[in-house]
Short mmCIF file of all heavy atoms in Angstrom, two decimals:
data_model
loop_
_atom_site.label_atom_id
_atom_site.label_comp_id
_atom_site.label_asym_id
_atom_site.label_seq_id
_atom_site.Cartn_x
_atom_site.Cartn_y
_atom_site.Cartn_z
N PRO A 16 86.23 114.36 54.64
CA PRO A 16 86.06 115.79 54.47
C PRO A 16 85.75 116.21 53.04
O PRO A 16 85.40 117.34 52.80
CB PRO A 16 87.38 116.37 54.95
CG PRO A 16 88.36 115.26 54.91
CD PRO A 16 87.55 114.00 55.10
N GLU A 17 85.89 115.29 52.08
CA GLU A 17 85.58 115.67 50.70
C GLU A 17 84.08 115.94 50.52
O GLU A 17 83.69 116.79 49.73
CB GLU A 17 86.00 114.56 49.72
CG GLU A 17 87.50 114.35 49.63
CD GLU A 17 88.04 113.49 50.77
OE1 GLU A 17 87.30 112.64 51.31
OE2 GLU A 17 89.20 113.69 51.14
N ASP A 18 83.23 115.22 51.25
CA ASP A 18 81.78 115.38 51.13
C ASP A 18 81.17 116.12 52.32
O ASP A 18 80.29 116.95 52.16
CB ASP A 18 81.09 114.02 50.98
CG ASP A 18 81.49 113.30 49.72
OD1 ASP A 18 81.64 113.98 48.67
OD2 ASP A 18 81.68 112.08 49.76
N VAL A 19 81.63 115.78 53.52
CA VAL A 19 81.08 116.35 54.74
C VAL A 19 82.21 116.61 55.72
O VAL A 19 83.06 115.75 55.95
CB VAL A 19 80.06 115.38 55.41
CG1 VAL A 19 79.56 115.94 56.72
CG2 VAL A 19 78.90 115.08 54.48
N SER A 20 82.23 117.80 56.30
CA SER A 20 83.21 118.10 57.34
C SER A 20 82.56 117.88 58.70
O SER A 20 81.39 118.18 58.89
CB SER A 20 83.68 119.55 57.24
OG SER A 20 84.49 119.72 56.10
N VAL A 21 83.33 117.34 59.65
CA VAL A 21 82.81 117.01 60.98
C VAL A 21 83.67 117.72 62.02
O VAL A 21 84.89 117.72 61.94
CB VAL A 21 82.85 115.48 61.23
CG1 VAL A 21 82.34 115.15 62.62
CG2 VAL A 21 82.04 114.75 60.17
N THR A 22 83.01 118.33 63.02
CA THR A 22 83.73 118.95 64.12
C THR A 22 83.14 118.49 65.44
O THR A 22 82.01 118.04 65.51
CB THR A 22 83.64 120.50 64.07
OG1 THR A 22 82.27 120.88 64.17
CG2 THR A 22 84.24 121.03 62.80
N GLY A 23 83.93 118.60 66.48
CA GLY A 23 83.49 118.26 67.82
C GLY A 23 83.75 119.43 68.76
O GLY A 23 84.24 120.47 68.35
N ILE A 24 83.42 119.22 70.02
CA ILE A 24 83.61 120.24 71.05
C ILE A 24 84.41 119.64 72.19
O ILE A 24 84.25 118.47 72.51
CB ILE A 24 82.24 120.75 71.56
CG1 ILE A 24 81.47 121.38 70.41
CG2 ILE A 24 82.41 121.74 72.69
CD1 ILE A 24 80.07 121.82 70.78
N ASP A 25 85.25 120.42 72.82
CA ASP A 25 86.02 120.11 74.01
C ASP A 25 87.42 119.58 73.74
O ASP A 25 88.20 119.46 74.66
CB ASP A 25 85.32 119.13 74.96
CG ASP A 25 84.08 119.73 75.60
OD1 ASP A 25 83.96 120.96 75.61
OD2 ASP A 25 83.25 118.96 76.10
N ASP A 26 87.76 119.24 72.52
CA ASP A 26 89.11 118.75 72.20
C ASP A 26 89.51 117.60 73.13
O ASP A 26 90.58 117.59 73.72
CB ASP A 26 90.13 119.87 72.24
CG ASP A 26 91.42 119.50 71.52
OD1 ASP A 26 91.36 118.71 70.57
OD2 ASP A 26 92.49 120.01 71.91
N HIS A 27 88.62 116.64 73.27
CA HIS A 27 88.88 115.46 74.09
C HIS A 27 90.16 114.78 73.63
O HIS A 27 90.56 114.89 72.48
CB HIS A 27 87.69 114.49 73.97
CG HIS A 27 87.72 113.37 74.95
ND1 HIS A 27 88.43 112.22 74.73
CD2 HIS A 27 87.15 113.24 76.16
CE1 HIS A 27 88.29 111.42 75.76
NE2 HIS A 27 87.51 112.01 76.65
N ASP A 28 90.80 114.04 74.53
CA ASP A 28 92.09 113.40 74.23
C ASP A 28 92.06 112.51 72.99
O ASP A 28 93.03 112.44 72.25
CB ASP A 28 92.55 112.56 75.43
CG ASP A 28 92.90 113.43 76.63
OD1 ASP A 28 93.16 114.63 76.44
OD2 ASP A 28 92.93 112.88 77.75
N VAL A 29 90.95 111.83 72.74
CA VAL A 29 90.89 110.93 71.58
C VAL A 29 90.63 111.67 70.27
O VAL A 29 90.72 111.07 69.21
CB VAL A 29 89.85 109.80 71.77
CG1 VAL A 29 90.20 108.92 72.95
CG2 VAL A 29 88.46 110.35 71.89
N SER A 30 90.30 112.95 70.33
CA SER A 30 90.06 113.72 69.11
C SER A 30 91.25 113.67 68.17
O SER A 30 91.09 113.53 66.96
CB SER A 30 89.75 115.18 69.45
OG SER A 30 88.60 115.27 70.25
N ASP A 31 92.43 113.79 68.73
CA ASP A 31 93.65 113.76 67.92
C ASP A 31 93.81 112.40 67.25
O ASP A 31 94.17 112.32 66.07
CB ASP A 31 94.86 114.09 68.79
CG ASP A 31 96.13 114.29 67.97
OD1 ASP A 31 96.04 114.86 66.86
OD2 ASP A 31 97.20 113.89 68.43
N SER A 32 93.52 111.33 67.98
CA SER A 32 93.66 109.97 67.42
C SER A 32 92.78 109.76 66.20
O SER A 32 93.14 109.04 65.28
CB SER A 32 93.30 108.93 68.48
OG SER A 32 94.15 109.04 69.59
N PHE A 33 91.59 110.38 66.22
CA PHE A 33 90.65 110.22 65.11
C PHE A 33 90.75 111.32 64.07
O PHE A 33 90.02 111.32 63.08
CB PHE A 33 89.21 110.15 65.64
CG PHE A 33 88.92 108.89 66.39
CD1 PHE A 33 88.81 108.89 67.76
CD2 PHE A 33 88.79 107.68 65.72
CE1 PHE A 33 88.55 107.73 68.47
CE2 PHE A 33 88.53 106.50 66.41
CZ PHE A 33 88.41 106.53 67.79
N GLY A 34 91.63 112.29 64.30
CA GLY A 34 91.76 113.40 63.35
C GLY A 34 90.55 114.32 63.36
O GLY A 34 90.25 114.97 62.37
N LEU A 35 89.85 114.40 64.50
CA LEU A 35 88.63 115.19 64.61
C LEU A 35 88.94 116.65 64.88
O LEU A 35 89.61 116.99 65.88
CB LEU A 35 87.74 114.64 65.72
CG LEU A 35 86.42 115.35 65.96
CD1 LEU A 35 85.51 115.22 64.74
CD2 LEU A 35 85.72 114.79 67.20
N THR A 36 88.47 117.54 64.02
CA THR A 36 88.58 118.97 64.24
C THR A 36 87.66 119.32 65.40
O THR A 36 86.53 118.86 65.46
CB THR A 36 88.16 119.74 62.97
OG1 THR A 36 89.09 119.44 61.93
CG2 THR A 36 88.13 121.24 63.21
N THR A 37 88.16 120.12 66.34
CA THR A 37 87.36 120.46 67.52
C THR A 37 87.51 121.92 67.92
O THR A 37 88.43 122.61 67.48
CB THR A 37 87.76 119.60 68.74
OG1 THR A 37 89.11 119.87 69.06
CG2 THR A 37 87.58 118.13 68.50
N ILE A 38 86.60 122.34 68.77
CA ILE A 38 86.72 123.62 69.45
C ILE A 38 87.27 123.30 70.83
O ILE A 38 86.64 122.60 71.61
CB ILE A 38 85.35 124.32 69.59
CG1 ILE A 38 84.72 124.58 68.23
CG2 ILE A 38 85.50 125.61 70.41
CD1 ILE A 38 85.47 125.56 67.37
N ALA A 39 88.47 123.76 71.12
CA ALA A 39 89.08 123.53 72.43
C ALA A 39 88.59 124.60 73.39
O ALA A 39 88.54 125.78 73.06
CB ALA A 39 90.60 123.59 72.32
N GLN A 40 88.17 124.16 74.56
CA GLN A 40 87.73 125.08 75.60
C GLN A 40 88.17 124.54 76.95
O GLN A 40 88.36 123.34 77.10
CB GLN A 40 86.22 125.29 75.55
CG GLN A 40 85.41 124.01 75.63
CD GLN A 40 83.92 124.26 75.44
OE1 GLN A 40 83.46 125.40 75.52
NE2 GLN A 40 83.17 123.23 75.20
N PRO A 41 88.34 125.42 77.93
CA PRO A 41 88.83 124.97 79.24
C PRO A 41 87.72 124.31 80.06
O PRO A 41 87.09 124.93 80.90
CB PRO A 41 89.32 126.26 79.88
CG PRO A 41 88.43 127.32 79.29
CD PRO A 41 88.17 126.86 77.88
N VAL A 42 87.49 123.03 79.81
CA VAL A 42 86.36 122.32 80.40
C VAL A 42 86.41 122.38 81.93
O VAL A 42 85.38 122.63 82.58
CB VAL A 42 86.32 120.86 79.90
CG1 VAL A 42 85.20 120.09 80.56
CG2 VAL A 42 86.18 120.84 78.39
N ARG A 43 87.56 122.14 82.51
CA ARG A 43 87.68 122.16 83.97
C ARG A 43 87.31 123.55 84.53
O ARG A 43 86.55 123.66 85.50
CB ARG A 43 89.07 121.76 84.41
CG ARG A 43 89.22 121.67 85.90
CD ARG A 43 90.66 121.30 86.29
NE ARG A 43 90.70 120.91 87.67
CZ ARG A 43 90.79 119.67 88.10
NH1 ARG A 43 90.85 118.68 87.24
NH2 ARG A 43 90.82 119.40 89.38
N SER A 44 87.81 124.59 83.91
CA SER A 44 87.51 125.95 84.36
C SER A 44 86.02 126.27 84.20
O SER A 44 85.43 126.93 85.06
CB SER A 44 88.33 126.98 83.59
OG SER A 44 89.70 126.81 83.85
N LEU A 45 85.43 125.80 83.12
CA LEU A 45 83.99 126.01 82.93
C LEU A 45 83.20 125.37 84.07
O LEU A 45 82.25 125.96 84.59
CB LEU A 45 83.54 125.41 81.59
CG LEU A 45 83.96 126.16 80.34
CD1 LEU A 45 83.68 125.31 79.10
CD2 LEU A 45 83.23 127.47 80.24
N GLY A 46 83.59 124.16 84.46
CA GLY A 46 82.93 123.48 85.56
C GLY A 46 83.10 124.22 86.88
O GLY A 46 82.16 124.33 87.67
N GLU A 47 84.32 124.72 87.12
CA GLU A 47 84.58 125.46 88.36
C GLU A 47 83.73 126.73 88.44
O GLU A 47 83.14 127.03 89.47
CB GLU A 47 86.06 125.81 88.46
CG GLU A 47 86.94 124.61 88.72
CD GLU A 47 88.43 124.93 88.61
OE1 GLU A 47 88.78 126.08 88.27
OE2 GLU A 47 89.23 124.03 88.88
N VAL A 48 83.67 127.47 87.34
CA VAL A 48 82.87 128.70 87.31
C VAL A 48 81.40 128.37 87.51
O VAL A 48 80.70 129.04 88.29
CB VAL A 48 83.10 129.47 85.99
CG1 VAL A 48 82.08 130.59 85.83
CG2 VAL A 48 84.51 130.03 85.94
N ALA A 49 80.91 127.34 86.86
CA ALA A 49 79.51 126.94 87.01
C ALA A 49 79.21 126.55 88.46
O ALA A 49 78.18 126.93 89.02
CB ALA A 49 79.19 125.79 86.07
N ALA A 50 80.13 125.81 89.08
CA ALA A 50 79.92 125.40 90.47
C ALA A 50 79.87 126.61 91.39
O ALA A 50 79.00 126.69 92.27
CB ALA A 50 81.04 124.45 90.90
N TRP A 51 80.78 127.58 91.19
CA TRP A 51 80.76 128.78 92.03
C TRP A 51 79.48 129.58 91.83
O TRP A 51 78.96 130.17 92.77
CB TRP A 51 81.98 129.65 91.77
CG TRP A 51 83.20 129.15 92.47
CD1 TRP A 51 84.31 128.61 91.91
CD2 TRP A 51 83.41 129.10 93.88
NE1 TRP A 51 85.20 128.22 92.88
CE2 TRP A 51 84.67 128.52 94.11
CE3 TRP A 51 82.65 129.50 94.98
CZ2 TRP A 51 85.19 128.32 95.38
CZ3 TRP A 51 83.17 129.29 96.25
CH2 TRP A 51 84.42 128.72 96.44
N GLN A 52 78.97 129.60 90.60
CA GLN A 52 77.71 130.31 90.35
C GLN A 52 76.57 129.66 91.13
O GLN A 52 75.73 130.34 91.72
CB GLN A 52 77.38 130.30 88.84
CG GLN A 52 78.34 131.07 87.98
CD GLN A 52 78.13 132.57 88.01
OE1 GLN A 52 77.22 133.09 88.63
NE2 GLN A 52 79.01 133.28 87.32
N VAL A 53 76.55 128.33 91.17
CA VAL A 53 75.50 127.60 91.90
C VAL A 53 75.68 127.79 93.40
O VAL A 53 74.71 128.06 94.12
CB VAL A 53 75.52 126.10 91.53
CG1 VAL A 53 74.60 125.30 92.43
CG2 VAL A 53 75.12 125.92 90.07
N ILE A 54 76.91 127.63 93.88
CA ILE A 54 77.18 127.75 95.32
C ILE A 54 76.84 129.14 95.85
O ILE A 54 76.34 129.29 96.96
CB ILE A 54 78.66 127.40 95.62
CG1 ILE A 54 78.89 125.91 95.38
CG2 ILE A 54 79.05 127.80 97.03
CD1 ILE A 54 80.35 125.51 95.39
N SER A 55 77.09 130.15 95.06
CA SER A 55 76.87 131.53 95.51
C SER A 55 75.38 131.89 95.58
O SER A 55 75.02 132.89 96.17
CB SER A 55 77.60 132.52 94.60
OG SER A 55 76.96 132.58 93.34
N HIS A 56 74.52 131.09 94.98
CA HIS A 56 73.07 131.34 94.97
C HIS A 56 72.73 132.72 94.43
O HIS A 56 71.76 133.34 94.85
CB HIS A 56 72.46 131.18 96.37
CG HIS A 56 72.63 129.82 96.95
ND1 HIS A 56 71.97 128.72 96.46
CD2 HIS A 56 73.41 129.39 97.97
CE1 HIS A 56 72.33 127.66 97.17
NE2 HIS A 56 73.21 128.02 98.08
N SER A 57 73.56 133.20 93.54
CA SER A 57 73.35 134.53 92.99
C SER A 57 72.11 134.58 92.11
O SER A 57 71.90 133.73 91.25
CB SER A 57 74.57 134.95 92.17
OG SER A 57 74.34 136.19 91.55
N GLN A 58 71.28 135.60 92.33
CA GLN A 58 70.11 135.81 91.48
C GLN A 58 70.52 136.41 90.14
O GLN A 58 69.81 136.27 89.15
CB GLN A 58 69.10 136.73 92.18
CG GLN A 58 68.52 136.14 93.44
CD GLN A 58 67.72 134.88 93.16
OE1 GLN A 58 67.06 134.76 92.12
NE2 GLN A 58 67.78 133.92 94.07
N ASN A 59 71.66 137.08 90.11
CA ASN A 59 72.18 137.70 88.90
C ASN A 59 73.61 137.22 88.68
O ASN A 59 74.56 137.95 88.95
CB ASN A 59 72.15 139.23 89.01
CG ASN A 59 70.75 139.75 89.17
OD1 ASN A 59 69.86 139.38 88.41
ND2 ASN A 59 70.54 140.59 90.16
N PRO A 60 73.79 135.99 88.18
CA PRO A 60 75.14 135.47 87.99
C PRO A 60 75.94 136.33 87.01
O PRO A 60 75.40 136.92 86.07
CB PRO A 60 74.92 134.07 87.44
CG PRO A 60 73.51 134.03 86.98
CD PRO A 60 72.76 135.08 87.71
N ALA A 61 77.21 136.41 87.27
CA ALA A 61 78.10 137.20 86.42
C ALA A 61 78.26 136.55 85.05
O ALA A 61 78.23 135.33 84.92
CB ALA A 61 79.47 137.33 87.08
N SER A 62 78.44 137.36 84.05
CA SER A 62 78.73 136.86 82.72
C SER A 62 80.23 136.57 82.66
O SER A 62 81.05 137.40 83.05
CB SER A 62 78.37 137.91 81.67
OG SER A 62 78.73 137.47 80.39
N VAL A 63 80.57 135.37 82.21
CA VAL A 63 81.97 134.96 82.15
C VAL A 63 82.32 134.55 80.73
O VAL A 63 81.58 133.79 80.11
CB VAL A 63 82.23 133.78 83.12
CG1 VAL A 63 83.67 133.32 83.03
CG2 VAL A 63 81.87 134.16 84.53
N THR A 64 83.42 135.04 80.22
CA THR A 64 83.90 134.66 78.90
C THR A 64 85.15 133.82 79.07
O THR A 64 86.07 134.21 79.78
CB THR A 64 84.22 135.91 78.05
OG1 THR A 64 83.05 136.71 77.96
CG2 THR A 64 84.70 135.52 76.67
N MET A 65 85.15 132.65 78.43
CA MET A 65 86.29 131.75 78.51
C MET A 65 86.97 131.67 77.14
O MET A 65 86.31 131.78 76.11
CB MET A 65 85.84 130.36 78.92
CG MET A 65 85.24 130.30 80.29
SD MET A 65 86.50 130.57 81.51
CE MET A 65 85.95 129.52 82.79
N PRO A 66 88.28 131.45 77.13
CA PRO A 66 88.98 131.35 75.85
C PRO A 66 88.65 130.04 75.13
O PRO A 66 88.46 129.00 75.76
CB PRO A 66 90.45 131.38 76.26
CG PRO A 66 90.46 130.83 77.64
CD PRO A 66 89.18 131.28 78.28
N THR A 67 88.54 130.12 73.84
CA THR A 67 88.35 128.93 73.01
C THR A 67 89.29 129.03 71.81
O THR A 67 89.78 130.11 71.48
CB THR A 67 86.90 128.82 72.48
OG1 THR A 67 86.60 129.98 71.69
CG2 THR A 67 85.90 128.71 73.61
N SER A 68 89.53 127.90 71.18
CA SER A 68 90.34 127.92 69.96
C SER A 68 89.91 126.78 69.05
O SER A 68 89.44 125.74 69.51
CB SER A 68 91.83 127.82 70.28
OG SER A 68 92.11 126.60 70.92
N LEU A 69 90.06 126.99 67.78
CA LEU A 69 89.74 125.98 66.78
C LEU A 69 90.98 125.13 66.54
O LEU A 69 92.05 125.65 66.22
CB LEU A 69 89.29 126.64 65.47
CG LEU A 69 88.98 125.70 64.31
CD1 LEU A 69 87.80 124.80 64.64
CD2 LEU A 69 88.71 126.52 63.05
N VAL A 70 90.84 123.81 66.70
CA VAL A 70 91.94 122.88 66.47
C VAL A 70 91.59 122.11 65.19
O VAL A 70 90.74 121.23 65.20
CB VAL A 70 92.13 121.91 67.66
CG1 VAL A 70 93.29 120.97 67.40
CG2 VAL A 70 92.34 122.69 68.95
N VAL A 71 92.20 122.50 64.09
CA VAL A 71 91.88 121.91 62.79
C VAL A 71 92.67 120.62 62.59
O VAL A 71 93.90 120.60 62.74
CB VAL A 71 92.18 122.90 61.64
CG1 VAL A 71 91.88 122.27 60.30
CG2 VAL A 71 91.39 124.18 61.83
N ARG A 72 91.94 119.57 62.25
CA ARG A 72 92.56 118.28 61.96
C ARG A 72 92.00 117.78 60.63
O ARG A 72 91.42 118.55 59.87
CB ARG A 72 92.31 117.31 63.11
CG ARG A 72 92.95 117.76 64.42
CD ARG A 72 92.88 116.67 65.47
NE ARG A 72 93.53 117.07 66.71
CZ ARG A 72 92.87 117.55 67.77
NH1 ARG A 72 91.56 117.65 67.76
NH2 ARG A 72 93.54 117.89 68.85
N SER A 73 92.10 116.50 60.37
CA SER A 73 91.75 115.97 59.05
C SER A 73 90.25 115.73 58.82
O SER A 73 89.87 115.34 57.72
CB SER A 73 92.50 114.65 58.80
OG SER A 73 92.16 113.68 59.78
N SER A 74 89.39 115.98 59.79
CA SER A 74 87.95 115.74 59.59
C SER A 74 87.24 116.88 58.89
O SER A 74 86.05 116.82 58.64
CB SER A 74 87.26 115.44 60.92
OG SER A 74 87.23 116.60 61.74
N THR A 75 87.98 117.95 58.57
CA THR A 75 87.38 119.08 57.85
C THR A 75 88.23 119.44 56.64
O THR A 75 89.45 119.34 56.65
CB THR A 75 87.27 120.33 58.74
OG1 THR A 75 88.54 120.60 59.33
CG2 THR A 75 86.25 120.11 59.86
N ALA A 76 87.54 119.83 55.60
CA ALA A 76 88.23 120.26 54.37
C ALA A 76 88.46 121.77 54.45
O ALA A 76 87.78 122.46 55.19
CB ALA A 76 87.36 119.93 53.16
N PRO A 77 89.41 122.27 53.69
CA PRO A 77 89.60 123.73 53.65
C PRO A 77 88.33 124.42 53.15
O PRO A 77 87.58 123.86 52.34
CB PRO A 77 90.74 123.91 52.65
CG PRO A 77 91.44 122.60 52.60
CD PRO A 77 90.37 121.57 52.87
N ALA A 78 88.09 125.62 53.63
CA ALA A 78 86.91 126.38 53.20
C ALA A 78 87.04 126.75 51.73
O ALA A 78 88.12 127.12 51.26
CB ALA A 78 86.77 127.64 54.04
N HIS A 79 85.95 126.63 51.01
CA HIS A 79 85.91 127.04 49.59
C HIS A 79 85.17 128.36 49.51
O HIS A 79 83.95 128.40 49.60
CB HIS A 79 85.20 125.98 48.74
CG HIS A 79 85.90 124.67 48.72
ND1 HIS A 79 87.07 124.47 48.05
CD2 HIS A 79 85.60 123.49 49.32
CE1 HIS A 79 87.47 123.22 48.20
NE2 HIS A 79 86.61 122.60 48.99
N ILE A 80 85.90 129.43 49.41
CA ILE A 80 85.31 130.76 49.35
C ILE A 80 85.13 131.15 47.89
O ILE A 80 86.06 131.11 47.11
CB ILE A 80 86.19 131.79 50.09
CG1 ILE A 80 86.34 131.36 51.56
CG2 ILE A 80 85.60 133.18 49.99
CD1 ILE A 80 87.31 132.18 52.34
N GLN A 81 83.89 131.53 47.57
CA GLN A 81 83.60 131.88 46.17
C GLN A 81 83.35 133.34 46.02
O GLN A 81 82.91 134.03 46.82
CB GLN A 81 82.38 131.10 45.68
CG GLN A 81 82.62 129.63 45.70
CD GLN A 81 81.39 128.83 45.25
OE1 GLN A 81 80.37 129.39 44.92
NE2 GLN A 81 81.52 127.54 45.25
#
């Protein structure tokens, strides 16, 4: 993190083992909503907002605000 900060998506189980900063999102729920959108054959699918959170670990350095 001194030279480059790295982040991932989904907060996979191994992220913690590697100290990877990630965006946690409800992957299972996202899949369920997507499946229902497909199954419903809707021409105008509903807009869905899912909760996310930033999980900071050792792969990112603190922000340097100037």
Side-chain angles (χ1 to χ4, degrees):
E17 293 81 28
D18 296 321
V19 176
S20 290
V21 178
T22 61
I24 298 175
D25 292 341
D26 197 30
H27 191 275
D28 293 339
V29 298
S30 299
D31 189 37
S32 300
F33 290 106
L35 180 64
T36 295
T37 62
I38 300 294
Q40 55 185 345
V42 177
R43 184 182 194 103
S44 296
L45 287 169
E47 290 172 356
V48 169
W51 280 111
Q52 294 282 357
V53 170
I54 291 169
S55 71
H56 300 290
S57 175
Q58 296 297 326
N59 298 311
S62 176
V63 178
T64 302
M65 296 290 215
T67 60
S68 62
L69 177 64
V70 181
V71 179
R72 296 190 178 98
S73 60
S74 69
T75 52
H79 297 287
I80 300 173
Q81 298 178 0

